[in-house]
Amino acid sequence: MSLEQKRRLVTELPGPRSQELMERKLAAVPGGVGTTMLVFAARAAGGIVVDVDGNHLIDLGSGIAVTTVGASAPRVVAAVTEQVAAFTHTCFMVTPYDGYVSVAETLNRVTPGDHDKRTVLFNSGAEAVENAVKIARAHTGKDAVVVFDHAYHGRTNLTMAMTAKNMPYKHGFGPFAPEVYRAPGSYPYRDNGLDGRAAAARAIDQIEKQIGADNLAACVIEPIQGEGGFIEPAEGFLPALAAWCRANGVVFVADEVQTGFARTGDMFACDREKVIPDLIVTAKGIAGGLPLSAVTGRAEIMEAPHAGGLGGTYGGNPLACAAALAAIETIEADGLVARAREIEAAVISRLRRLQVEDNRLGDVRGRGAMLAVELVRAGTAEPDPRLARDVARYAHQRGVIVLTCGTYGNVLRFLPPLSISDDLLDDAFDVLAAAFGEIR
Ligand SMILES: *Cc1c(COP(=O)(O)O)cnc(C)c1O
């Protein structure tokens, strides 16, 4: 690694240079774009972000599950450097190039199922989700889309309609796209022990009564919900829903934008219960930090849109494609799926130890390196967003980048890069343990 993998603070946080930049940001960038951290980045490598004042911070966020292979992963840097010197853009729809086709072939190989597949590339997760809906509508000739409580699918007009939470994603930004319906999901901590099959039956009953399979083009679901609170549905929920979709001519779309590419201790979260989605949407961890997203799916569905119906100026940009090939090679060559499971074992055992001593840690959950703790008022299940905010702030001031999420804003989530060292993880969770000790 090009940077020493150690937390080291040389100023108070935020330091003077960061404060100066924050003043410029406030005058130049609208306040609608918030920042988790008050420090500005200068460099990053592996599990360390160095700020403009020279402080070394531990990264438990990976830029929201993006730098899964580590910041500035060596293979990604080399591949992008070579590509940028060759050409930066031709537009795949004008003069195509190998990198795009190679990424499509790679995604067709690594995504769940060994059926005939096609892949189309875009820039952002939201853009890919929108295109998955377009493809499902073209294939089925139907309009309606069903999504779930606590879902997050993006911030564009269609994906705002698909996202559940009003503040901050939707408030004042309507009217929203029509024909988007919401069904109950599976939230084991708050479901009173409803098992996966029963939760699926509840969702399917509502879908049949309120929408009707004959009107429904697609069911879009995150196999583990991300922004909504790292909610892992009870076992059996996803397979039952996928089976109902198949039996009823509804395209089953897995939004694996956050869960994909080894993050959850499988290459894709759907792999755990052997669910094979008709379409799978990927982004975030796909390209080591470069903007790229994809829709991959059954050839007969993907071929439904007419010639020229899919695309975009930058979709499958050559730099992003080079980065994706290098990132996926890194995941496979460095055994990062197994590494994610090691991280799970280490972090979950620490969180459970904390939970035994502190009943404000209501639920410890997640898989691989997508882990979370839901915070509640002592001895109840009442959400405590203030505690989540205070613990996060305590960690930020001590050089640990940690994110919150959840419909109630009361979930601390951990998304370390899979290349992070055990020492960095230990140090970061020592800081978090101290936070729970000090904050009452
Ligand atoms: C982040 C995210 C999106 C949106 O991705 P963008 O690249 O921010 O547009 C969609 N779905 C899920 C599950 C996500 O986590």
Side-chain angles (χ1 to χ4, degrees):
M1 302 266 178
S2 55
L3 288 176
E4 194 192 359
Q5 297 293 297
K6 207 166 170 26
R7 180 170 64 106
R8 190 170 61 239
L9 302 187
V10 294
T11 70
E12 300 257 291
L13 296 184
R17 291 219 169 88
S18 281
Q19 289 183 34
E20 218 177 282
L21 272 162
M22 190 55 81
E23 272 172 38
R24 282 172 49 201
K25 181 224 171 223
L26 293 175
V29 180
V33 187
T35 69
T36 301
M37 301 296 295
L38 300 177
V39 302
F40 279 69
R43 299 196 59 190
I48 288 286
V49 174
V50 182
D51 76 8
V52 289
D53 291 287
N55 298 296
H56 284 51
L57 286 68
I58 302 177
D59 187 5
L60 294 187
S62 301
I64 318 188
V66 169
T67 52
T68 299
V69 292
S72 310
R75 287 185 189 85
V76 172
V77 172
V80 173
T81 304
E82 190 182 329
Q83 180 60 46
V84 77
F87 62 95
T88 55
H89 174 84
T90 60
C91 186
F92 188 74
M93 300 180 304
V94 177
T95 313
Y97 38 87
D98 183 334
Y100 188 119
V101 178
S102 294
V103 170
E105 289 168 346
T106 303
L107 292 177
N108 293 346
R109 172 175 64 82
V110 300
T111 51
D114 51 14
H115 49 280
D116 193 19
K117 295 177 200 158
R118 301 286 185 273
T119 288
V120 54
L121 301 178
F122 302 100
N123 302 287
S124 70
E127 193 187 2
V129 170
E130 293 231 4
N131 277 277
V133 171
K134 282 164 64 172
I135 294 164
R137 285 175 171 162
H139 171 70
T140 59
K142 301 187 276 186
D143 293 335
V145 175
V146 69
V147 290
F148 292 83
D149 286 337
H150 308 289
Y152 182 86
H153 297 292
R155 295 172 179 266
T156 57
N157 187 264
L158 175 57
T159 58
M160 272 196 293
M162 296 168 71
T163 289
K165 194 175 175 180
N166 176 46
M167 246 336 185
Y169 306 123
K170 304 168 73 159
H171 187 74
F173 297 150
F176 304 112
E179 289 307 310
V180 176
Y181 300 85
R182 196 168 306 285
S186 168
Y187 192 162
Y189 179 59
R190 297 193 176 278
D191 261 356
N192 292 319
L194 194 66
D195 69 25
R197 293 206 147 269
R202 178 178 67 176
I204 289 164
D205 184 58
Q206 182 168 320
I207 292 167
E208 287 178 338
K209 298 292 185 304
Q210 298 186 10
I211 312 166
D214 290 349
N215 300 308
L216 188 58
C219 166
V220 183
I221 190 161
E222 304 157 82
I224 299 176
Q225 292 182 318
E227 308 301 302
F230 282 28
I231 303 165
E232 183 185 4
E235 202 182 322
F237 177 78
L238 291 172
L241 204 59
W244 179 85
C245 286
R246 193 162 316 117
N248 288 277
V250 174
V251 178
F252 183 81
V253 183
D255 179 349
E256 292 234 21
V257 169
Q258 193 155 161
T259 50
F261 300 103
R263 174 55 60 189
T264 64
D266 291 285
M267 195 61 175
F268 294 95
C270 279
D271 291 334
R272 188 63 63 100
E273 290 188 86
K274 302 200 165 30
V275 169
I276 298 181
D278 298 314
L279 303 180
I280 180 167
V281 181
T282 54
K284 293 199 167 103
I286 192 174
L290 275 84
L292 186 72
S293 64
V295 180
T296 301
R298 294 184 190 282
E300 65 275 19
I301 300 175
M302 295 294 293
E303 295 291 4
H306 49 274
L310 301 175
T313 305
Y314 291 110
N317 169 270
L319 302 181
C321 285
L325 294 170
I328 296 168
E329 185 194 333
T330 300
I331 290 168
E332 293 184 327
D334 293 358
L336 294 186
V337 170
R339 177 61 186 151
R341 292 193 181 211
E342 285 174 16
I343 291 171
E344 173 184 332
V347 172
I348 290 282
S349 72
R350 281 211 69 156
L351 290 172
R352 291 222 193 287
R353 260 182 281 147
L354 272 175
Q355 190 182 29
V356 168
E357 292 157 20
D358 190 337
N359 61 2
R360 297 173 303 172
L361 282 75
D363 192 32
V364 171
R365 61 180 179 244
R367 293 205 311 250
M370 183 173 179
L371 303 166
V373 54
E374 178 162 353
L375 303 179
V376 294
R377 283 184 223 292
T380 73
E382 201 187 319
D384 192 349
R386 184 202 58 87
L387 179 59
R389 192 197 57 211
D390 289 352
V391 170
R393 186 176 296 159
Y394 179 103
H396 296 164
Q397 286 168 347
R398 285 157 186 80
V400 178
I401 301 172
V402 59
L403 308 173
T404 59
C405 66
T407 295
Y408 314 107
N410 65 328
V411 177
L412 286 173
R413 59 167 154 174
F414 310 110
L415 291 161
L418 302 180
S419 61
I420 198 168
S421 68
D422 290 339
D423 286 349
L424 279 185
L425 271 183
D426 277 345
D427 185 22
F429 281 91
D430 286 345
V431 170
L432 287 161
F436 281 106
E438 285 186 34
I439 297 164
R440 282 292 130 195

